[in-house]
Amino acid sequence: MSYSIGQVAQKLGVSIDTLRYYDKSGLLPFVKRNSAGRREFTDNDLHLMQTIMCLKNAGVPVHEIATFVQLRLQGDASLDERYQLLIDHEKNLKTKILDLQETIAYLQYKKWYYETAVNAGTETIHFVPGTNEVDPNLARQYQQHLTAKGDLTTLALFNEVVDVPVKD
């Protein structure tokens, strides 16, 4: 089956301009053109486009995706390189995901801080009495809050972010 650039854009959820940019960036050397000069995508091209979109969504720079596409055009001779490229980017993506999860865990801590202050009508509930300094035991209080809620996933991530051991 043959698809126009508009059909491919619709199937992939991107603009036609994005596909044209990818073509100019060397990501679509496999796409043939008809006698009128229009791009004609095949089912196999769509499969390759899904790979390109996946790599793009994973944060892989366009020039590295172009390298991957060129390696694919080499066939079996580049299998190891393509496999290693995917392993490397999967590792990078997992690191980013963990970083984001830790960021969310800390933001949830700050949200708890402000939620409890709003409920009390004052932020001073989190301060050392008579000062405007945050109580050094505040993180431990939050850990106890998470434990009481049974939110062990957030607790584990929060513990990665802050250096406060949980007391028994």
Side-chain angles (χ1 to χ4, degrees):
M1 183 160 197
S2 179
Y3 304 95
S4 70
I5 193 169
Q7 290 170 316
V8 172
Q10 185 176 9
K11 284 181 178 290
L12 297 176
V14 298
S15 69
I16 291 172
D17 288 337
T18 296
L19 292 176
R20 287 183 179 135
Y21 167 74
Y22 288 170
D23 193 17
K24 288 178 185 171
S25 299
L27 302 186
L28 309 179
F30 49 85
V31 177
K32 306 294 182 232
R33 292 182 182 256
N34 64 20
S35 60
R38 292 190 179 112
R39 294 168 192 88
E40 288 188 340
F41 293 80
T42 65
D43 286 324
N44 191 55
D45 295 341
L46 277 177
H47 173 77
L48 292 171
M49 288 301 305
Q50 288 173 324
T51 302
I52 289 168
M53 298 305 298
C54 177
L55 291 171
K56 186 69 180 137
N57 289 338
V60 179
V62 169
H63 73 275
E64 286 186 43
I65 297 171
T67 298
F68 183 85
V69 169
Q70 289 301 316
L71 289 170
R72 190 189 181 285
L73 293 175
Q74 294 174 15
D76 289 348
S78 67
L79 281 173
D80 287 338
E81 282 181 85
R82 287 182 278 154
Y83 179 65
Q84 190 58 52
L85 188 139
L86 294 177
I87 288 172
D88 292 345
H89 285 293
E90 179 185 34
K91 181 180 175 187
N92 291 341
L93 192 56
K94 285 180 177 180
T95 298
K96 287 179 186 179
I97 289 169
L98 181 59
D99 289 346
L100 288 171
Q101 288 173 326
E102 289 175 354
T103 300
I104 288 172
Y106 190 78
L107 287 175
Q108 288 173 330
Y109 166 60
K110 293 308 287 183
K111 188 175 100 180
W112 169 83
Y113 173 96
Y114 287 107
E115 178 183 21
T116 54
V118 165
N119 289 339
T122 179
E123 189 174 2
T124 60
I125 65 166
H126 298 307
F127 294 167
V128 173
T131 73
N132 64 350
E133 295 178 17
V134 174
D135 183 341
N137 292 314
L138 190 63
R140 185 168 279 109
Q141 292 171 27
Y142 181 64
Q143 289 168 326
Q144 291 168 349
H145 165 76
L146 291 174
T147 302
K149 277 180 45 178
D151 191 349
L152 302 181
T153 301
T154 302
L155 178 62
L157 289 168
F158 180 71
N159 288 340
E160 291 291 322
V161 176
V162 296
D163 190 20
V164 179
V166 177
K167 279 189 172 179
D168 293 327

